Amino acid sequence: MTEEVLTGGRGLTELRATAAVPGAGTLLRILRDGRPRTRSELASVTGLARSTVTQRVDALLASGLIGPAGEAASTGGRPPTTFSFRPDARVVVAADLGATHARLALTDMTGTVLAEERADLDIALGPEPVLDWVVDRGRALLDGAGREVTDLLGVGIGLPGPVEYSTGRAVNPPIMPGWDNFDVPGYVGARLPVPVLVDNDVNIMAVGEHHVAWPTASHLMFVKVATGIGCGIVSEGRVYRGAQGAAGDMGHIHVPSGAGRQCRCGNTGCLEAVASGAALAEALTAEGVPARGARDVVELSRNGSVPALRALRQAGRDVGEVLAASVNMFNPSVIVIGGALALAGDHLLAGVREIIYQRSLPLATEHLSIVSSTAGESAGVIGAAVTVIEHCLSPEHADTLVNRA
């Protein structure tokens, strides 16, 4: 697998550079911007002969990925037919798997959610039971939408742990017993015979948020604050994963307030040990305010619990301590705060802003937006779907898809 551009379109110079003789996939990339075009326009854009364009367009029509979109204005003689992308021609099954929950969606090829469901599902059950649920419920969503498995473009899955993106395998995930090096794409692909792409859950949330709310932002950080804490990084329009896929694991950076606090990773003083939903719930319970996890903390805050509101504000400050250094190092234009604790309102966000603006360089924060997630709880499934769409509809892979139709 290769990293794919997150946005739907690329410049024509780049398109021409990707293939000496553009195939049907390159024409599809052009048409995905939603604007109908004639064969002549496509020939002009690509530099291909009219006969070659006709051949490519016919192949795309046969695949169902494009369709006639009416007639263009006539310049004399019969008006030429225009063609446009059909986003409903295929669908995607997208799964966002958390530590204790799962969200599944069926989307079209723009990432628009057609059907969705959520379930309490413990990732510690192991790969087979969890992935069987994804496959079974994915088939149910297809049936409910009146679609066949043959309509499926691919499956996207986000996992709550480190993932080697090139293989789709989790690597030493701390809260996922039995998942280490498990062949997730192979297991799911044997049951749903389509491309299966797997990534860390916060990476797919960053993709989803970028797609929904910040498509023109070149440098974005998405911070998930929930049972765990992680960060997805978008740089120059692409997910930045680092050398081994471990980029953004900010939950295990040491913070001063965490001194002596044991983290599930085995170290002490990690951000996750003091600012995650599990850590806040534990601290509140010790204060005599019972809470079992992030969602209880959110509910308490919504009901006006002063200890919960105070804990959320401090958690925001702790997250801000780590992000302030990241702002100076990475200089993003947007920081998005998401995850279960972000649903509590502005208290967490206020703490994050307080420390970032206090500790980061003025130049780095001059045009910085620090905001709550727009995509909300659907960020993960949208991001998983967009990851599949951009991979499967890229010029190099779309040619295979068209030839197979």
Side-chain angles (χ1 to χ4, degrees):
M1 299 178 194
T2 58
E3 290 188 349
E4 307 295 342
V5 176
L6 299 182
T7 52
R10 289 186 285 179
L12 296 181
T13 300
E14 185 181 354
L15 283 171
R16 285 170 174 155
T18 58
V21 180
T26 299
L27 268 63
L28 180 64
R29 171 71 80 177
I30 295 167
L31 289 168
R32 282 180 61 201
D33 67 1
R35 184 166 75 84
R37 291 176 174 85
T38 65
R39 292 182 177 89
S40 293
E41 288 175 309
L42 291 170
S44 175
V45 167
T46 61
L48 293 173
R50 176 67 180 268
S51 59
T52 304
V53 167
T54 296
Q55 183 184 43
R56 303 282 194 268
V57 168
D58 287 346
L60 288 168
L61 287 168
S63 72
L65 295 172
I66 69 170
E71 296 178 337
S74 175
T75 57
R78 183 177 177 181
T81 301
T82 62
F83 303 94
S84 63
F85 178 56
R86 292 183 57 220
D88 61 346
R90 300 283 192 281
V91 291
V92 177
V93 168
D96 176 19
L97 304 178
T100 57
H101 77 279
R103 185 176 293 271
L104 196 69
L106 189 71
T107 80
D108 67 11
M109 291 190 293
T110 65
T112 300
V113 174
L114 306 174
E116 189 175 14
E117 69 173 82
R118 186 188 184 281
D120 293 327
L121 186 65
D122 193 341
I123 200 73
L125 290 172
E128 289 93 344
V130 172
L131 295 176
D132 284 346
W133 180 88
V134 170
V135 172
D136 292 343
R137 297 313 303 161
R139 288 182 177 274
L141 288 180
L142 284 168
D143 289 343
R147 306 303 291 257
E148 304 289 338
V149 173
T150 53
D151 295 329
L152 195 57
L153 182 69
V155 177
I157 300 174
L159 297 178
V163 173
E164 185 180 55
Y165 184 70
S166 61
T167 64
R169 296 171 185 251
V171 180
N172 295 320
I175 62 167
M176 300 170 62
W179 287 82
D180 184 30
N181 204 38
F182 186 84
D183 185 8
V184 176
Y187 188 85
V188 174
R191 291 154 180 78
L192 294 172
V194 292
V196 180
L197 275 70
V198 185
D199 203 351
N200 172 264
D201 61 346
V202 74
N203 282 346
I204 66 169
M205 293 175 81
V207 173
E209 191 70 29
H210 186 273
H211 177 78
V212 169
W214 303 93
T216 62
S218 295
H219 303 285
L220 175 147
M221 298 176 70
F222 182 97
V223 182
K224 177 187 177 183
V225 190
T227 302
I229 299 175
C231 178
I233 303 169
V234 174
S235 179
E236 298 294 348
R238 298 175 182 268
V239 174
Y240 178 76
R241 298 184 174 89
Q244 303 297 328
D249 196 0
M250 62 178 280
H252 301 289
I253 295 175
H254 187 275
V255 291
S257 61
R261 294 287 295 273
Q262 185 72 37
C263 181
R264 59 184 178 176
C265 73
N267 289 325
T268 58
C270 294
L271 174 64
E272 197 169 289
V274 295
S276 68
L280 296 192
E282 181 181 348
L284 287 170
T285 300
E287 287 186 48
V289 183
R292 291 176 296 178
R295 294 189 180 277
D296 284 353
V297 175
V298 170
E299 189 63 28
L300 285 167
S301 70
R302 287 175 172 172
N303 291 331
S305 167
V306 173
L309 294 173
R310 186 170 58 241
L312 281 165
R313 182 68 176 243
Q314 183 56 45
R317 294 189 184 103
D318 291 329
V319 171
E321 289 279 355
V322 174
L323 286 177
S326 302
V327 167
N328 287 335
M329 289 285 290
F330 178 56
N331 190 203
S333 56
V334 183
I335 293 177
V336 181
I337 307 298
L341 287 187
L343 301 175
D346 290 337
H347 302 284
L348 181 75
L349 191 64
V352 172
R353 286 173 170 159
E354 175 188 336
I355 299 301
I356 287 180
Y357 287 121
Q358 176 182 324
R359 297 185 181 272
S360 298
L361 295 171
L363 180 61
T365 58
E366 184 177 4
H367 301 294
L368 174 65
S369 297
I370 306 172
V371 298
S372 294
S373 171
T374 298
E377 292 186 292
S378 294
V381 290
I382 293 173
V386 170
T387 299
V388 170
I389 293 162
E390 293 303 327
H391 173 85
C392 292
L393 297 187
S394 64
E396 56 270 34
H397 293 104
D399 285 342
T400 302
L401 180 67
V402 171
N403 292 335
R404 192 171 65 233

